[in-house]
Amino acid sequence: MNLSLKKIFICAAFCVAFPSLAQRQLNYTDFGFAVGGMIHTGEVSNGGVGAYISDARPQAKLNLKRTLASWFTVGIEAGYGYLSANDEDHLQTDRNYSVSTHLIQVNPFIELNFMKFGKYRREQTWTPYLKLGGGIVFYNPELNEDAVYTSKIELRPNAYSGLNFLIALGTKIRTSYHSYLTLEPIIHFANFDDIEGWRYSPNLTNNDVYGGFTVGYNYMIF
């Protein structure tokens, strides 16, 4: 190989490798936690802003993320939450139904930042983001023993598992070069309809929907 061909080969290899190296330099890992409230909509909790506020119960999450570009992140989160609702708060005092359900979730997800954010982006102090994902849900509904259920209702207490799809539109706010806060309203769409501990038989209703709002803190490692 003559000298000219060697120079061309070296230049071509550099042009291919440099963008990949530069991109890897923007990669980083971060981890964090979030706390907030959780509500759901179903056979008991089905309307009224005041009632939804009274239904709100705590939730907490841990997450681990890997940012592959300033606008793109993949991650996984694990969380615990509690759902509660009563007929009397939703103007249905004749039935006396209630919801008391504990949930544990593990959800992989992706985040798409609307503005470049993260490593080397000191000047970008905040960004809205879209979060999409889904995973497995373990839930354990407890029934109200004083309620009288009709023959069309199939009781389903105890522990079960199912799947969910999640979507969130949140905001990241930088608190230091290595940390940021998140404000995140989120909705989960489940593939089951017995989160209350019972369902109509045959099932004539839609699958359960639940969600809430969290405030989080994450630390970036780079």
Side-chain angles (χ1 to χ4, degrees):
M1 183 181 294
N2 59 42
L3 184 60
S4 297
L5 290 177
K6 286 183 179 180
K7 289 181 178 179
I8 293 173
F9 177 79
I10 293 173
C11 290
F14 179 79
C15 290
V16 171
F18 182 76
S20 298
L21 178 61
Q23 185 62 52
R24 285 197 299 270
Q25 289 177 343
L26 293 176
N27 294 358
Y28 62 90
T29 299
D30 65 90
F31 63 93
F33 66 91
V35 294
M38 174 179 280
I39 59 174
H40 90 291
T41 178
E43 274 71 45
V44 175
S45 183
N46 54 19
V49 175
Y52 281 135
I53 293 175
S54 68
D55 290 345
R57 294 296 184 273
Q59 65 168 321
K61 302 177 184 179
L62 298 174
N63 65 70
L64 179 65
K65 304 179 186 180
R66 179 66 176 172
T67 294
L68 305 178
S70 298
W71 58 273
F72 182 74
T73 298
V74 297
I76 187 169
E77 66 181 15
Y80 163 80
Y82 178 64
L83 297 176
S84 177
N86 294 286
D87 266 350
E88 61 184 19
D89 295 326
H90 294 267
L91 305 179
Q92 299 187 88
T93 56
D94 56 317
R95 300 189 313 178
N96 199 30
Y97 293 171
S98 67
V99 179
S100 179
T101 305
H102 300 265
L103 295 92
I104 295 176
Q105 304 185 79
V106 180
N107 293 318
F109 62 86
I110 63 171
E111 289 179 354
L112 305 175
N113 295 328
F114 292 173
M115 296 182 285
K116 292 182 178 180
F117 185 86
K119 189 176 182 180
Y120 302 142
R121 304 291 181 184
R122 288 180 181 269
E123 75 287 350
Q124 192 60 53
T125 57
W126 73 284
T127 180
Y129 66 92
L130 175 67
K131 179 177 179 179
L132 300 170
I136 191 167
V137 185
F138 302 95
Y139 57 106
N140 182 25
E142 301 173 359
L143 292 175
N144 179 9
E145 297 180 356
D146 296 329
V148 178
Y149 298 95
T150 69
S151 58
K152 294 182 178 181
I153 287 180
E154 175 189 354
L155 300 182
R156 291 178 60 82
N158 304 317
Y160 301 94
S161 63
L163 301 176
N164 82 102
F165 167 76
L166 67 88
I167 181 170
L169 185 60
T171 302
K172 297 177 182 177
I173 303 172
R174 199 159 196 152
T175 55
S176 73
Y177 185 42
H178 284 273
S179 63
Y180 62 91
L181 296 177
T182 59
L183 306 177
E184 185 178 280
I186 188 168
I187 300 176
H188 299 262
F189 301 91
N191 73 334
F192 48 84
D193 185 38
D194 57 358
I195 206 167
E196 298 90 353
W198 51 272
R199 66 184 178 189
Y200 286 103
S201 183
N203 187 359
L204 302 176
T205 57
N206 297 322
N207 288 337
D208 289 306
V209 177
Y210 58 95
F213 181 86
T214 59
V215 178
Y217 173 85
N218 273 65
Y219 186 83
M220 300 177 282
I221 303 172
F222 50 76

